[in-house]
């Protein structure tokens, strides 16, 4: 029987999962995997300039495709550099699969060169972290990793394989198709839960759909829209999940949460039944208190993971199920047995709130301050961006205005750092997203501080021809944090002001395209030119350095809460 190296076996297993790209930086511990790619162009190694960016890329690809995003890096610093990106995947429930080439087997336990307990380091940010001790166990344990990453609520996994194990040989065997070793069908809801939920919705006077990332992941947006239309249930979205339903729909009010829309918050306060679909009701959506979600509101919570059902708010019905399966069943139950009232007054109320939001945002198109207000930048973007654009938004004050100001027409379009809130996320995330969806325009939105954290990936983008457009709103400061010192520390600014190169010029030095825009009427043209440039492009826009929203939560009690609504 013929044999293959452990490295080749890893490649075959990745290919059986449909993996097209692997992100990382070359290292001596996994050359047997790389060598297997030399003649095999089914998988491309995207050699990045910092492993953190590679992890964000894998996350971006996984978020827009639902497929595994794979990183392959070396032991020690190669792996530790990944941690922040893997944490981003963890909060986003992204199936990122980390493979680390480990040190030689003889050196484990000796504090050898680049030896760290990586399994322990990665355990808190993954669903499963393990070592593969022998070559013959590579198929079994990689299957375990993919099973964990891709089933239930997805998430990242970590696999360390010693260089000796990768170099060893195992019997050649065809890699099994995913359906042979893991569940590939979605989880249906319990019929009793559907009956109870349908009864509650039917009796409600002001039911409201709060739509989360689980809906987009389950491909349930269309069913949610049908539920909304057929049974007069207006829609709002969870924080950073604006793309879960088409924003142009007349029953969509806006996004709930910290930098979300006040109109969505008003609707949430009025709801008597909240149908929370595919959302864990996390901190940025709800603040974990009763400012939006009222104690008298009955909550129906649908989540594929029982861990978060009823965790922050007690529920009237807790339903563990795939969001699409649950919404289809609920729709059928409501259509069949529970003729809902037309709820004309509630529909009108929702439409009025939607109209108020649209008018508020439209008025920002008239802001003509120089340097520009970030709000005006978003008004121009709404006009210029193709409707199918994927947007990756960084942390920071200027990016955060986007939570309420960007419009989406389809799922898997809005990539945000979510509960990680990490800077430097958006540009590499956008690069991964573009590899996953080359057919769609992809835009990264950054402040000046966050962009320079991973700007080195301009070189990767140019070399691999990943044509993403990046917009940098430059206020020469760490604005989101400066806001605290402005409002609560009597403008005693420390650690907040920074200097920057001209980012349009920096982009050109890397071989990308660069634009500098300081007049609002030129934003649209620059965006269109950048998307047509045929290479990666950066647009720098100087913005008003004094425009920071007040950190609202902190105003209530500076000593108790330092949370910033726009971070
Ligand atoms: C990796 C990381 N380091 C630090 C922070 C804390 N932080 C949050 S927002 C922010 C300022 C961001 O500045 P910039 O990217 O220029 O955007 P701006 O707020 O100025 O619009 C900082 C330092 C963070 N969220 N992530
Ligand atoms: Mg800034």
């Amino acid at each position: 029987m013929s044999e293959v190296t452990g490295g080749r076996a890893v490649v075959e297993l990745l290919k059986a999962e449909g993996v097209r790209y692997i992100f990382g930086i070359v290292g001596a511990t996994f050359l047997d995997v790389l060598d297997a790619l030399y003649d095999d162009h089914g998988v491309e190694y995207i050699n990045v300039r910092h492993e953190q960016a590679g992890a964000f890329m894998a996350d971006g690809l996984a978020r827009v495709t639902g497929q595994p995003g794979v990183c392959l890096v070396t032991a020690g610093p190669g792996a530790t550099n990944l941690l922040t990106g893997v944490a981003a995947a963890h909060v986003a429930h992204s199936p990122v699969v980390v493979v680390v080439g480990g040190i030689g087997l003889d050196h484990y336990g000796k504090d050898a060169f680049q030896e760290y307990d990586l399994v322990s380091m990665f355990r808190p940010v993954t669903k499963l972290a393990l070592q593969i001790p022998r070559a013959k166990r590579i198929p079994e344990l990689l299957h375990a990793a993919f099973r964990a990453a891709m089933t239930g609520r997805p998430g990242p996994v970590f696999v360390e394989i010693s260089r000796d194990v990768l170099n060893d040989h195992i019997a050649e065997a065809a890699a099994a198709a995913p359906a042979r070793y893991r569940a590939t069908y979605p989880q249906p809801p319990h019929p009793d839960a559907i009956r109870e939920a349908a009864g509650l919705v039917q009796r409600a006077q002001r039911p409201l759909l709060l739509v989360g990332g689980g809906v987009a992941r389950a491909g349930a947006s269309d069913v949610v829209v049908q539920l909304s239309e057929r049974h007069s249930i207006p829609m709002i979205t969870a924080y950073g999940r604006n793309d879960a339903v088409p924003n142009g729909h007349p029953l969509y009010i806006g996004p709930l949460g910290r930098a979300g829309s006040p109109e969505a918050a008003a609707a949430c306060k009025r709801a008597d039944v909240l149908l929370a679909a595919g959302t864990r009701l996390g901190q940025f959506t709800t603040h974990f208190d009763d400012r939006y979600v009222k104690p008298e509101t009955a909550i129906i919570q649908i989540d594929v993971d029982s861990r978060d059902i009823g965790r922050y708010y007690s529920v009237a019905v807790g339903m563990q199920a795939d969001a699409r399966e649950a919404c289809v069943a609920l729709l059928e139950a409501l259509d069949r047995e529970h003729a809902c009232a037309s709820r004309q007054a509630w529909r009108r109320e929702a439409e009025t709130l939607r109209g108020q939001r649209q008018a508020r945002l439209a008025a920002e198109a008239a802001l003509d301050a120089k340097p520009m207000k970030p709000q005006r930048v978003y008004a121009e973007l709404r006009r210029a961006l193709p409707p199918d654009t994927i947007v990756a938004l960084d942390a920071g004050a200027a990016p955060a205005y986007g939570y309420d100001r960007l419009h989406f027409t389809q799922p898997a379009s809005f990539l945000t750092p979510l509960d990680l809130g990490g800077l430097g996320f958006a540009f590499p995330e956008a690069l991964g997203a573009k590899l996953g969806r080359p057919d769609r325009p992809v835009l990264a939105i950054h402040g000046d501080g966050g962009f320079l954290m991973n700007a080195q990936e301009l070189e990767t983008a140019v070399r691999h021809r990943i044509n993403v457009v990046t917009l940098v709103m430059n206020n020469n400061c760490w604005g989101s944090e400066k806001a605290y010192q402005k409002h609560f520390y009597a403008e005693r600014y420390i650690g907040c002001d920074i200097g920057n190169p001209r980012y349009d010029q920096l982009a050109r030095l890397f071989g990308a395209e660069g634009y500098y825009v300081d007049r609002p009427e030129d934003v649209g043209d620059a965006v269109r030119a950048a998307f047509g440039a045929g290479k990666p492009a950066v647009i720098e826009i100087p913005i008003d350095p004094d425009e920071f929203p007040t950190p609202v939560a902190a105003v209530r009690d500076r000593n108790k809460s330092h949370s910033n609504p726009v971070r």
Side-chain angles (χ1 to χ4, degrees), residues 52 84 374 394-401 420-424 446-453 472-482 495-496 498 500 543 547-548 564 566-567:
Q52 178 191 104
T84 303
D394 209 44
Y401 282 100
L420 178 74
L423 290 166
H446 271 283
D448 51 311
F451 180 57
L452 206 56
M453 283 195 181
V472 182
M473 285 185 265
N474 184 3
N475 54 11
N476 288 306
C477 65
W478 301 107
S480 177
E481 310 307 278
K482 195 169 181 176
C496 284
I498 46 181
N500 290 288
I543 56 160
E547 177 63 44
F548 323 117
N564 182 341
V566 296
R567 195 173 323 179

Side-chain angles (χ1 to χ4, degrees), residues 145-426:
F146 276 103
R147 189 179 300 117
M150 296 294 288
T151 57
R153 190 195 267 165
V157 293
F158 174 89
V159 182
E160 178 177 347
I161 318 178
S162 159
R163 59 193 299 165
D164 295 332
V165 173
L166 290 170
N167 188 244
D168 201 0
H169 287 77
I170 57 171
E172 185 174 15
R180 301 279 72 77
Y181 66 86
R182 59 178 171 84
T184 51
Y185 294 107
Q187 182 180 343
H190 195 283
D192 290 348
I194 289 296
R195 200 170 29 75
E196 282 177 34
L200 263 181
V201 172
Q202 191 242 337
R203 289 191 297 277
Q205 292 182 346
R206 296 180 306 282
L208 183 69
L209 268 156
L210 172 55
V211 189
V215 163
R217 257 195 309 283
S221 297
D222 55 339
V223 192
V224 165
V225 167
Q226 285 178 47
L227 259 176
S228 171
E229 285 171 355
R230 294 231 281 268
H231 299 283
S232 301
I233 318 174
M235 299 174 282
I236 59 176
T237 41
Y239 200 71
R241 303 301 196 178
N242 309 38
D243 57 345
V245 294
N247 295 178
H249 195 282
L251 284 170
Y252 176 65
I253 298 170
L256 188 64
R258 297 229 289 188
S261 101
E263 297 82 5
C268 194
K269 284 187 245 182
R270 288 274 295 147
D272 58 354
V273 169
L274 190 63
L275 181 47
T279 165
R280 68 184 181 93
L281 303 169
Q283 184 183 352
F284 278 21
T285 301
T286 62
H287 296 273
F288 293 152
D289 61 19
D290 63 359
R291 76 187 74 179
Y292 309 145
V293 181
K294 295 294 166 194
E296 58 273 20
T297 302
I299 300 174
I300 301 165
Q301 191 180 2
I302 302 167
D303 203 302
V304 76
D305 192 341
S306 61
R307 197 188 71 141
D308 291 327
I309 293 180
R311 185 173 178 191
Y312 316 116
Y313 296 92
S314 59
V315 289
V317 182
M319 200 187 303
Q320 185 179 3
D322 170 82
R324 183 175 178 87
E325 298 284 313
C327 290
V328 166
L330 194 55
L331 192 60
E332 281 171 7
L334 286 168
D335 283 354
R336 200 173 46 239
E337 291 168 27
H338 302 267
C340 290
S342 65
R343 303 188 180 109
Q344 287 304 332
W346 178 228
R347 274 186 96 113
R348 271 197 303 279
E349 198 173 327
E351 279 159 15
T352 302
L353 287 168
R354 175 180 167 79
Q356 282 169 3
R357 174 167 178 245
Q358 303 298 324
R360 175 171 58 79
L361 299 185
E364 293 177 355
L367 293 171
D368 59 1
K370 202 171 173 200
M372 259 178 265
K373 298 278 186 196
Q375 298 91 319
R376 176 69 192 265
V377 176
Y378 288 102
E380 297 304 321
L381 284 180
R382 282 197 299 278
R383 281 202 277 248
L385 289 179
D388 61 337
T389 305
I390 293 172
V391 180
L393 197 67
D394 209 44
Y401 282 100
Y403 282 102
D404 186 26
R405 289 173 176 78
L406 291 161
H407 286 181
F408 297 96
T409 58
Q410 52 183 293
S413 301
F414 193 30
L415 313 180
T416 77
L418 297 164
D419 302 87
L420 178 74
L423 290 166
F425 157 96

Side-chain angles (χ1 to χ4, degrees), residues 52 55-56 79-90 122 125 420 422-423:
Q52 178 191 104
F56 283 139
T80 58
N81 271 354
L82 286 179
L83 258 173
T84 303
V86 177
H90 192 237
F122 277 83
V125 292
L420 178 74
L423 290 166

